[in-house]
């Protein structure tokens, strides 16, 4: 039987939990929301979110939209995804109404694109990726997910290689014998930059010095698409 708990239930419980962690009452949380530009998230709204009470009869929680979620998380000094997927404090979280709950870290990886959702099953105790074809494309759902999630692996790798190249450049500026290492690090940076331009992804800023050296060494497939920091 699938769980009837919703992500709204999870977030409401985590708002209460993190308020207690901070020693913050509801009035104080409302003040923090107002400081972030959301004075409409009032004490009464927070009561409704946390308890499910409404001004009318019965139990009805105020619906949270994405903007509410983000503001409340920042007001509580908590990474927004942890309000939704409380790692370490809950055994399971909901997924979709037609599927079973999963442990928070599994769903975390779905949310970040690090893993492909496995909603079908369990089959012999195992969940399996969705292999159905998407109408009109011939592509499986899992393959379409992988295509959409491709940037997830590229951006952190670009950040790592950019920092490594920057440090290698500093070493080379002090020690000419380190120049070869710098070129090697530039080549690694160029590989990920080229992957991102081929995928038509927006590149984060690169320092003018790195861009100049990448172009000078002709390491870029599309040098005209790369602009250094601060240059339009």
């Amino acid at each position: 039987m699938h769980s009837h708990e919703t992500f709204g239930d999870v977030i409401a419980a985590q708002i209460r939990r993190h308020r207690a962690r901070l020693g913050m009452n509801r009035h104080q949380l409302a003040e923090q929301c107002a400081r972030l530009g959301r004075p409409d998230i009032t004490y009464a709204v927070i009561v409704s979110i946390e308890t499910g009470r409404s001004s009318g009869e019965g139990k009805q929680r105020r619906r949270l939209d994405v903007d509410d979620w983000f503001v409340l998380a920042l007001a509580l000094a908590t990474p927004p995804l942890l309000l939704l997927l409380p790692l370490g404090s809950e055994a399971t979280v909901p997924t979709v109404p037609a599927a079973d709950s999963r442990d928070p870290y599994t769903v975390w990886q779905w949310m970040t694109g690090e893993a492909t959702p496995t909603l079908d099953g369990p089959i012999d105790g195992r969940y399996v990726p969705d292999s159905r074809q998407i109408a009109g494309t011939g592509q499986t759902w899992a393959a379409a997910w992988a295509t959409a999630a491709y940037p997830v692996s590229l951006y952190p790798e670009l950040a790592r290689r950019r920092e490594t190249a920057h440090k290698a450049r500093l070493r080379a500026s002090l020690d000419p014998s380190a120049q070869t290492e710098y070129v090697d690090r530039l080549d690694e940076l160029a590989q990920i930059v080229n992957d991102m331009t081929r995928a038509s992804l927006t590149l984060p800023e690169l320092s003018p010095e790195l861009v100049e050296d990448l172009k000078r060494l002709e390491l870029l497939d599309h040098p005209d698409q790369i602009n250094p920091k601060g240059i339009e």
Side-chain angles (χ1 to χ4, degrees):
M1 179 179 295
H2 303 313
S3 171
H4 294 292
E5 184 183 40
T6 68
F7 279 118
D9 297 326
V10 174
I11 292 175
Q14 292 307 306
I15 290 171
R16 292 193 299 271
R17 174 172 174 262
H18 286 285
R19 270 202 312 102
R21 171 178 67 89
L22 297 170
M24 181 186 292
N25 61 39
R26 289 168 178 154
H27 285 294
Q28 291 168 328
L29 178 55
E31 289 171 0
Q32 289 301 311
C33 290
R35 183 181 64 82
L36 295 171
R38 288 295 306 276
D40 57 310
I41 301 181
T42 61
Y43 170 87
V45 166
I46 293 168
V47 169
S48 178
I49 290 171
E50 288 190 353
T51 68
R53 290 200 302 268
S54 65
S55 57
E57 294 184 1
K59 185 175 181 179
Q60 182 178 350
R61 174 172 290 119
R62 180 189 187 276
R63 285 191 175 273
L64 278 155
D65 62 24
V66 175
D67 296 318
D68 297 337
W69 166 39
F70 193 77
V71 168
L72 283 161
L74 268 59
L76 289 164
T78 302
L81 205 53
L82 280 176
L83 286 188
L84 194 66
L85 304 170
L87 300 181
S89 65
E90 299 294 333
T92 61
V93 293
T95 54
V96 294
D100 295 316
S101 299
R102 299 286 197 281
D103 70 276
Y105 186 60
T106 292
V107 184
W108 182 289
Q109 291 176 301
W110 300 353
M111 287 278 190
T112 60
E114 298 171 75
T116 303
T118 51
L119 296 173
D120 291 340
I123 300 173
D124 296 329
R126 295 174 293 110
Y127 291 94
V128 296
D130 192 335
S131 60
R132 61 191 168 88
Q133 289 191 335
I134 296 177
T137 67
Q139 191 177 33
T140 66
W141 186 94
W145 174 278
T147 298
Y150 182 51
V152 172
S153 63
L154 294 180
Y155 281 92
E157 185 62 19
L158 175 71
R160 185 187 69 80
R161 296 189 189 190
R162 179 177 55 187
E163 182 64 19
T164 300
H166 176 68
K167 290 179 179 179
R169 181 181 180 278
L170 291 178
R171 286 193 294 270
S173 68
L174 300 173
D175 179 5
S177 67
Q179 187 66 32
T180 299
E181 179 197 356
Y182 175 46
V183 172
D184 289 343
R185 300 295 82 79
L186 276 178
D187 185 57
E188 292 172 352
L189 176 61
Q191 291 173 24
I192 201 78
V193 168
N194 289 333
D195 285 344
M196 295 181 75
T197 55
R198 279 193 293 271
S200 300
L201 300 176
T202 300
L203 281 165
E205 293 177 336
L206 298 175
S207 71
E209 296 81 9
L210 289 180
V211 171
E212 179 182 349
D213 289 341
L214 287 166
K215 291 182 177 181
R216 175 174 56 81
L217 294 170
E218 298 182 346
L219 296 174
L220 300 173
D221 292 342
H222 302 283
D224 56 313
Q225 296 183 20
I226 312 299
N227 289 319
K229 181 178 180 180
I231 295 179
E232 298 295 336

